[in-house]
Amino acid sequence: MIKFDKESGIFYLNTKSTTYAMGVWNGEKLLHRYWGKRLVNPLNKTDLGDYVARGFEAVDLQGGNSDIVPFEYSTFGNADMRIPSAEFRFSDGSRVSNLTYKGYEITDGKPALEGLPATYCEEGDKVETLTIHLEDTYQNVDVFLSYSVFEDFDAITRSTKIVNRGERLLLDSAMSATVDFYGSPDRELLHLDGAWMRERSIVRQPIVAGNQGINSRYGCSNMFHNPFIALCDKNADETTGDVYGFNLVYSGNFTAGAEKNPFNGLRAYIGINSTNFQFVLENGGSFRTPEAVMVYSSKGLGEMSRIYHKLYRTRLCRGKFRDTERFVLINNWEATYFDFNEDKIVAIAEKASKVGIDTMVLDDGWFSSRIDDTNGLGDWYENRDRLPNGLEGLAKRINALGMRFGLWFEPEMVNPGTELYKNHPDWILHTKGRKPSQARNQLTLDYSRDDVCDYIIDTLSGILSRANIEYIKWDMNRCMSEPGSAFWDGEHQGEVMHRYILGLYRVLETLTQRFPNVLFESCSSGGSRFDAGMLYYMPQTWTSDDSDAVERLKIQYGTSVVYPFSSMGAHVSAVPNHQVGRITSFDMRCNVAMAGQFGFELDLNKCTEEELKTAERAVKTYRELGEVFHKGDCYRLKSPFESDICAIEFVSEDKNTVILTVNCSKAMPNSPDEYILLDGLDETAVYTLDGTDKSFGGDYLMNIGWHFVNDRENQSELILFKKQKL
């Protein structure tokens, strides 16, 4: 997997299909050499000779720069004027650093990252880790570049550890990964943008000279940009073309993008956003960057996505619920909002249990003075007017129906009128002399403080220990503002936003390990914090507050570019839809939601008998096919961003079961024939259409396709094929 050729000074990081290579130039500079299809022949030591020499020569002749030199890890101030991998400020006021190669180590497996979520390996995995040591000998700074190679997954992860052995320094920026592409062809930058209720739309734009990228300064990974980018060949699509994916396993501020120079060189980068970031490193101090997961595909976006899906399902998500099928739940939020009591919740659960739903989730409004969104957050004790028997009593009534009981929390926030705020006004993020801004009538607790994190751990642990709660919806409904802390002195205020995320991770690690039988789901105004960092602690995320079936086609399709359907919370809600007012059939709502973690967001007591029968059939179908949706290979066949039709195919791990979902948002009178070409089948096999005696060759389905007639508004089909046994 990882090899070092001492004669040429080149490192080779090989997965089953790819090679990532870098080399030591003149014994001191680490240069990027190659990333792409797996190499058969070794690189020549002098392959880049003229190219690199020209870059260094430009500096020696003065007035030039080394912007064409493909540095593996760059710093500021050495004639490389591009976005650096790291920036330092030293005690003498200098910002210039110069890193030279010192050595390397190759080890089996993959170490955990201290205090940070990351991918991991298990016994039997083909995983090796390369650590390269770079040093600034004048300022006594060590930089350790870590590369872990998942051979069978076709993925490489990167992280950097910076250690100060000299006088006090300030770390102003530290990327998790930068990659220099030289002689780069025309490429496009793909990213996932959006807003509340339309998260993770696919955006592609040409990469032109200069810097183009995305970022978050909101304190979280946010709804506007996701911490993921891909560099794509201009003509790359789902099945063809080179694609280079970069995803950050982090839930805070980030930056990612590509900088192209006038000489057709391209630097991709991803890491913590440097805005309002500054980390103090005393002598002996260290800083670890979040992990970047890098995936190369020569077979288009679809293959890249499937690599991410499998890696994240099995080597990022953890715990009891990683491999088991999870709950089919009903949440009361859109059914009642704040207008509920114990009997109303039980009545919803009673009807739900009759159609096979196994979990009842009580959402916002169960605690303290929380009768609307103006008060109560932070005072986590039951509102006895609504729940006279407390959470324990309600849980027992739900359990008596044969159902699990789940609960909503928003533990990172506080309302100003609460007991918590009155007793600890210094526990919020704020800047001295500035009035703290409110959003949704709430303020953000300061998770950079250990005492705040300990309070949350103790409070939630007490509730989870008293009542039989088996599911938690962990919400966050605002971003950070005035991001300062009363705990940290002035020199450390630039650390607060990152330390907040580290504190959040400590809270989540403690609670999920303490309560391993509780299924945690992340939520943030819907899917505003849908990132790989949260999936390490919570295997699923509420994908969007927009539960309209047509809108969800785009949201789930875009999310699947990186994240598996097993991580997407997806519910059936009432019509007219509460967010957009659209009316869709119950069948379509079920079919769209069924691909994710299936559930309901309505009062089934208000449904017709026919809708209840549809719900019961859908729950039964989901339990039969959930493993295919969540563990099978996903093929995006037709994009809802390009037409009114969305077609997605799921092929089981054993290749014996195939699910084709086709949904159309608009009808067309006397519509032309549409043939959906399937993918990933055995072209020599025969597949039977479930419930019929009709059969089709794998080659027929992939080359001629499934005939779809778009003649009804909001049409939806879920087609099941079974491979015939020999």
Side-chain angles (χ1 to χ4, degrees):
M1 287 182 286
I2 300 176
K3 297 179 181 179
F4 179 59
D5 185 331
K6 292 183 179 179
E7 183 178 349
S8 64
I10 297 176
F11 294 93
Y12 295 92
L13 285 64
N14 293 316
T15 71
K16 62 183 179 183
S17 304
T18 72
T19 296
Y20 186 101
M22 54 196 145
V24 183
W25 180 265
N26 288 341
E28 63 175 43
K29 291 296 181 183
L30 185 66
L31 304 184
H32 181 72
R33 296 297 304 271
Y34 174 82
W35 185 22
K37 291 181 181 179
R38 182 156 179 163
L39 296 175
V40 176
N41 299 306
L43 296 171
N44 191 306
K45 181 179 181 179
T46 60
D47 281 345
L48 286 180
D50 294 341
Y51 185 83
V52 173
R54 181 160 57 95
F56 285 125
E57 183 181 281
V59 179
D60 294 337
L61 292 176
Q62 307 205 2
N65 61 62
S66 58
D67 279 3
I68 66 171
V69 178
F71 291 109
E72 184 65 23
Y73 195 84
S74 65
T75 53
F76 173 78
N78 290 289
D80 180 358
M81 306 305 176
R82 293 166 292 179
I83 293 172
S85 305
E87 294 179 273
F88 307 97
R89 269 192 283 173
F90 300 103
S91 58
D92 61 4
S94 168
R95 296 171 181 259
V96 175
S97 54
N98 187 12
L99 298 176
T100 56
Y101 172 80
K102 291 300 175 183
Y104 75 95
E105 180 183 22
I106 299 173
T107 56
D108 290 332
K110 182 179 186 293
L113 300 188
E114 52 271 26
L116 287 165
T119 54
Y120 57 89
C121 63
E122 294 187 341
E123 186 176 353
D125 288 350
K126 295 179 181 179
V127 178
E128 289 182 345
T129 296
L130 168 67
T131 302
I132 295 179
H133 180 194
L134 307 178
E135 181 185 17
D136 185 317
T137 55
Y138 178 73
Q139 293 288 5
N140 294 312
V141 176
D142 290 318
V143 175
F144 298 94
L145 309 180
S146 294
Y147 304 77
S148 292
V149 178
F150 289 78
E151 181 178 14
D152 291 339
F153 288 88
D154 267 338
I156 296 172
T157 68
R158 287 184 60 177
S159 178
T160 301
K161 185 174 183 178
I162 297 166
V163 180
N164 180 26
R165 295 185 291 104
E167 296 183 22
R168 182 177 183 272
L169 67 83
L170 302 178
L171 179 63
D172 284 339
S173 72
M175 295 294 178
S176 294
T178 56
V179 178
D180 285 359
F181 299 85
Y182 42 90
S184 180
D186 287 342
R187 287 203 171 102
E188 294 183 337
L189 179 69
L190 183 147
H191 47 103
L192 304 176
D193 293 357
W196 179 55
M197 297 203 303
R198 52 180 176 87
E199 297 90 338
R200 288 170 299 286
S201 296
I202 299 174
V203 177
R204 288 180 70 158
Q205 61 193 65
I207 297 176
V208 296
N211 178 41
Q212 43 259 287
I214 58 172
N215 63 75
S216 171
R217 304 183 190 93
Y218 296 87
C220 56
S221 49
N222 89 59
M223 63 194 77
F224 306 112
H225 301 292
N226 194 265
F228 162 81
I229 59 168
L231 307 186
C232 311
D233 283 355
K234 186 176 181 180
N235 297 318
D237 56 21
E238 283 291 321
T239 58
T240 61
D242 287 346
V243 178
Y244 298 84
F246 300 80
N247 191 210
L248 194 64
V249 186
Y250 187 62
S251 308
N253 290 338
F254 72 89
T255 186
E259 184 177 18
K260 189 172 185 179
N261 65 24
F263 310 104
N264 216 23
L266 184 65
R267 172 170 292 173
Y269 59 88
I270 191 166
I272 294 176
N273 197 313
S274 62
T275 299
N276 198 45
F277 172 85
Q278 184 182 86
F279 221 86
V280 179
L281 293 182
E282 304 290 353
N283 180 275
S286 66
F287 182 86
R288 168 69 72 176
T289 69
E291 181 170 270
V293 180
M294 308 193 314
V295 171
Y296 163 76
S297 165
S298 63
K299 300 177 182 178
L301 287 161
E303 183 66 17
M304 179 204 71
S305 297
R306 287 186 289 277
I307 292 170
Y308 274 118
H309 292 178
K310 185 176 181 181
L311 182 69
Y312 285 177
R313 281 198 321 264
T314 64
R315 296 297 182 268
L316 178 66
C317 295
R318 303 176 297 162
K320 172 182 177 180
F321 299 101
R322 186 190 77 173
D323 299 323
T324 59
E325 276 304 307
R326 299 169 207 154
F327 309 157
V328 179
L329 63 87
I330 186 165
N331 185 296
N332 74 293
W333 180 242
E334 288 192 21
T336 67
Y337 295 103
F338 287 108
D339 183 19
F340 67 85
N341 56 33
E342 181 179 302
D343 288 339
K344 186 179 287 190
I345 297 301
V346 172
I348 293 172
E350 287 174 338
K351 183 66 72 171
S353 68
K354 293 178 180 178
V355 301
I357 296 170
D358 56 51
T359 304
M360 178 72 225
V361 178
L362 175 58
D363 211 281
D364 194 0
W366 57 267
F367 51 92
S368 177
S369 54
R370 187 74 166 178
I371 59 173
D372 54 32
D373 67 2
T374 63
N375 205 356
L377 277 179
D379 293 345
W380 297 109
Y381 54 84
E382 297 95 320
N383 181 325
R384 292 285 174 168
D385 290 336
R386 291 183 166 180
L387 304 178
N389 300 300
L391 291 172
E392 301 97 315
L394 177 57
K396 288 178 181 177
R397 292 183 69 182
I398 299 299
N399 294 159
L401 298 171
M403 301 178 72
R404 302 179 185 91
F405 176 61
L407 196 61
W408 176 96
F409 283 99
E410 192 173 359
E412 298 170 66
M413 305 298 160
V414 63
N415 289 127
T418 56
E419 296 172 18
L420 176 63
Y421 181 78
K422 292 174 183 176
N423 293 333
H424 300 284
D426 59 326
W427 277 14
I428 64 165
L429 288 179
H430 68 287
T431 299
K432 185 177 180 180
R434 307 292 180 185
K435 182 180 179 181
S437 303
Q438 293 187 38
R440 206 178 181 235
N441 306 298
Q442 61 198 46
L443 302 165
T444 308
L445 288 171
D446 183 1
Y447 270 49
S448 75
R449 301 175 58 135
D450 284 343
D451 51 358
V452 173
C453 293
D454 290 339
Y455 168 81
I456 295 298
I457 291 170
D458 292 344
T459 300
L460 269 63
S461 293
I463 295 171
L464 292 174
S465 298
R466 288 195 302 273
N468 186 24
I469 299 166
E470 299 181 70
Y471 164 97
I472 290 297
K473 180 181 177 182
W474 183 291
D475 208 347
M476 185 197 75
N477 281 304
R478 64 157 295 175
C479 57
M480 299 180 194
S481 60
E482 296 81 40
S485 172
F487 177 81
W488 298 96
D489 62 27
E491 291 182 322
H492 293 82
Q493 291 298 310
E495 302 175 10
V496 169
M497 296 181 89
H498 178 61
R499 287 190 180 276
Y500 179 104
I501 299 301
L502 295 181
L504 172 64
Y505 289 155
R506 181 171 76 85
V507 170
L508 294 177
E509 179 70 17
T510 302
L511 290 172
T512 54
Q513 296 303 310
R514 188 174 292 178
F515 300 96
N517 295 319
V518 175
L519 172 59
F520 285 78
E521 177 173 293
S522 174
C523 178
S524 178
S525 296
S528 298
R529 192 162 62 180
F530 204 127
D531 62 65
M534 296 304 287
L535 290 182
Y536 182 75
Y537 304 99
M538 309 185 192
Q540 61 193 60
T541 298
W542 180 228
T543 315
S544 176
D545 279 343
D546 190 342
S547 56
D548 171 65
V550 173
E551 293 299 312
R552 271 301 186 103
L553 291 174
K554 288 184 178 180
I555 294 168
Q556 293 173 190
Y557 188 100
T559 302
S560 75
V561 169
V562 191
Y563 308 105
F565 274 85
S566 61
S567 66
M568 302 182 206
H571 293 176
V572 176
S573 59
V575 293
N577 178 264
H578 290 199
Q579 289 81 44
V580 299
R582 184 184 282 114
I583 296 175
T584 53
S585 71
F586 209 92
D587 273 320
M588 183 179 190
R589 283 174 273 159
C590 287
N591 287 345
V592 172
M594 206 181 300
Q597 290 296 337
F598 191 41
F600 294 80
E601 194 90 11
L602 75 172
D603 187 348
L604 289 169
N605 290 294
K606 298 178 181 178
C607 291
T608 66
E609 285 302 316
E610 186 58 36
E611 288 173 333
L612 291 174
K613 290 178 182 178
T614 301
E616 187 172 9
R617 285 195 303 270
V619 171
K620 182 179 179 181
T621 300
Y622 174 76
R623 290 208 169 98
E624 293 172 351
L625 301 179
E627 189 159 308
V628 182
F629 283 123
H630 299 156
K631 296 182 182 180
D633 287 333
C634 173
Y635 296 87
R636 294 182 295 267
L637 307 179
K638 290 191 72 69
S639 171
F641 294 97
E642 298 173 359
S643 74
D644 295 328
I645 298 176
C646 176
I648 302 178
E649 175 194 7
F650 301 86
V651 181
S652 64
E653 290 181 292
D654 62 11
K655 309 300 181 184
N656 291 333
T657 304
V658 179
I659 304 170
L660 173 63
T661 64
V662 187
N663 291 277
C664 188
S665 58
K666 292 182 181 178
M668 180 181 292
N670 195 24
S671 64
D673 289 342
E674 185 81 41
Y675 286 87
I676 311 296
L677 301 181
L678 276 65
D679 202 347
L681 306 182
D682 180 351
E683 64 180 11
T684 66
V686 175
Y687 295 83
T688 300
L689 179 63
D690 190 57
T692 75
D693 57 1
K694 296 180 180 179
S695 59
F696 305 86
D699 51 355
Y700 177 94
L701 291 172
M702 290 193 292
N703 295 294
I704 297 176
W706 174 257
H707 185 210
F708 176 76
V709 179
N710 173 27
D711 59 1
R712 289 181 287 113
E713 185 75 3
N714 297 323
Q715 188 171 346
S716 179
E717 293 184 4
L718 191 155
I719 304 105
L720 178 63
F721 298 98
K722 294 290 184 70
K723 185 178 179 180
Q724 289 185 4
K725 296 181 180 180
L726 296 177

